[in-house]
Amino acid sequence: MEGIEGFNAVLGGIMGWTMVLSVLYLAIPVLIVWMIVRYFKNKTNKRAQIVQAIIEKNPDAGNVEELMRQIAPRQKSLKEKLLEKLLWGSVFVVLGICFLSYALFIDYKGGMEAKTLHGTYLVAFVLLGVGIVLFLNYFISKKMLAKEIEAEENSIVHSA
C-alpha cells in the first residue's frame, strides 16, 4: 500500500507543478495579449464616441476627417523615431556588456554549472547583437533620411 500512496503523492506533485507552469507560461501571456487588445479597442471606441457626440450635437460640424485628424494622437517625427532606436541600442549594448562581464568573471572564478554559464554567454551575445543592429540601423537611417528629417524640421518651424 505504501508504494501506491508514494506514487500518488509524486503524481499529484507533478500535476500540481504542471498546473503552475501552465498558468505561468500559457495563461499570463494570453492575459497580457488580451489586455493590450482591449486597451486599443477601448481607445478606438472612445474616439468614435467623441466624433459621434460632436456630430449629434452639431450636424453642421463639417469635415469629419479633419476632426479625426485633430483628435488623433501626435505622430512621432523621423528624428524622434531614430533617437528611440539609438536609446534602445544603447540599452541593449550596456545589458550585453554587463552579462558578458558577469559571465567572464564567473568563468574566471569558477563556481557555475557549465550549462548555465553557456546560457549567460548566449544571452550576452544576443543582447550585444541586438544593440549593435539597432546602432547600425540608427546610423544608416540617419544618413539615408537626412533630407527627409531636414524637410520635416523645416515644415515644423514654418507651421509654428
Side-chain angles (χ1 to χ4, degrees):
M1 271 310 209
E2 286 183 30
I4 292 176
E5 289 174 6
F7 176 74
N8 286 339
V10 170
L11 187 62
I14 291 172
M15 289 178 61
W17 276 109
T18 303
M19 294 298 290
V20 169
L21 293 176
S22 296
V23 167
L24 285 176
Y25 292 117
L26 297 173
I28 291 176
V30 168
L31 181 65
I32 290 171
V33 169
W34 174 76
M35 289 174 67
I36 291 170
V37 168
R38 185 172 164 229
Y39 168 77
F40 284 109
K41 187 176 176 183
N42 285 341
K43 189 175 173 182
T44 305
N45 288 343
K46 290 289 183 188
R47 287 181 54 204
Q49 287 174 353
I50 290 171
V51 171
Q52 186 177 10
I54 291 173
I55 292 173
E56 285 175 1
K57 290 182 180 179
N58 186 8
D60 306 333
N63 193 353
V64 176
E65 292 169 9
E66 179 67 28
L67 179 67
M68 290 298 290
R69 239 181 286 127
Q70 288 177 351
I71 65 171
R74 186 181 75 81
Q75 297 291 323
K76 289 183 182 179
S77 68
L78 286 173
K79 194 172 188 177
E80 288 173 324
K81 290 177 185 177
L82 284 176
L83 288 173
E84 193 172 311
K85 287 181 184 180
L86 180 63
L87 169 72
W88 283 108
S90 303
V91 168
F92 278 108
V93 165
V94 168
L95 283 173
I97 290 171
C98 289
F99 270 88
L100 186 59
S101 301
Y102 173 71
L104 288 170
F105 177 74
I106 294 299
D107 201 8
Y108 173 73
K109 288 293 231 181
M112 184 182 274
E113 192 177 313
K115 201 174 190 181
T116 307
L117 186 61
H118 292 154
T120 308
Y121 276 121
L122 177 68
V123 168
F125 288 123
V126 167
L127 288 171
L128 277 172
V130 169
I132 290 169
V133 166
L134 286 170
F135 271 141
L136 288 173
N137 187 291
Y138 167 76
F139 289 112
I140 292 170
S141 298
K142 183 179 170 185
K143 193 175 280 189
M144 289 179 66
L145 299 172
K147 291 179 183 176
E148 286 85 352
I149 292 171
E150 187 177 323
E152 194 175 74
E153 287 176 350
N154 287 338
S155 70
I156 291 172
V157 169
H158 292 304
S159 67

